[in-house]
């Protein structure tokens, strides 16, 4: 089964910031929302997806994220 792109982005962003707890704090998201997004049961709102993109772009510029 193919992992949803939203789940992949969340996983990479979590890796870039040091874990899901830190990512949850940076996104100001509830634990329930994070679980739902990670599992692919719900899609993050557009504003959250933009924040995720910013995290990944910043991490890539700083050399902390693996190449995509």
């Amino acid at each position: 089964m193919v992992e949803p792109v939203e789940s992949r982005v969340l996983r990479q962003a979590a890796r870039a910031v040091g874990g899901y707890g830190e990512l949850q704090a940076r996104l100001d998201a509830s634990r329930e929302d994070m679980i739902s997004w990670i599992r692919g049961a719900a899609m993050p709102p557009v504003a959250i997806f933009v924040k995720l993109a910013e995290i990944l772009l910043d991490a890539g510029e700083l050399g902390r994220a693996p190449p995509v």
Side-chain angles (χ1 to χ4, degrees):
M1 185 163 113
V2 177
E3 183 180 23
V5 68
E6 294 84 1
S7 298
R8 291 172 41 210
V9 169
L10 282 159
R11 182 173 27 85
Q12 287 188 349
R15 187 178 306 139
V17 299
Y20 285 108
E22 177 63 25
L23 181 60
Q24 178 183 339
R26 289 187 188 206
L27 297 176
D28 193 27
S30 72
R31 186 174 193 278
E32 293 77 20
D33 282 342
M34 288 291 295
I35 291 169
S36 182
W37 299 337
I38 292 164
R39 290 183 177 166
M43 291 181 52
V46 172
I48 294 293
F49 207 78
V50 169
K51 286 182 184 180
L52 291 166
E54 289 174 345
I55 289 169
L56 290 174
L57 287 170
D58 289 346
E61 290 172 3
L62 297 173
R64 293 189 308 233
V68 179

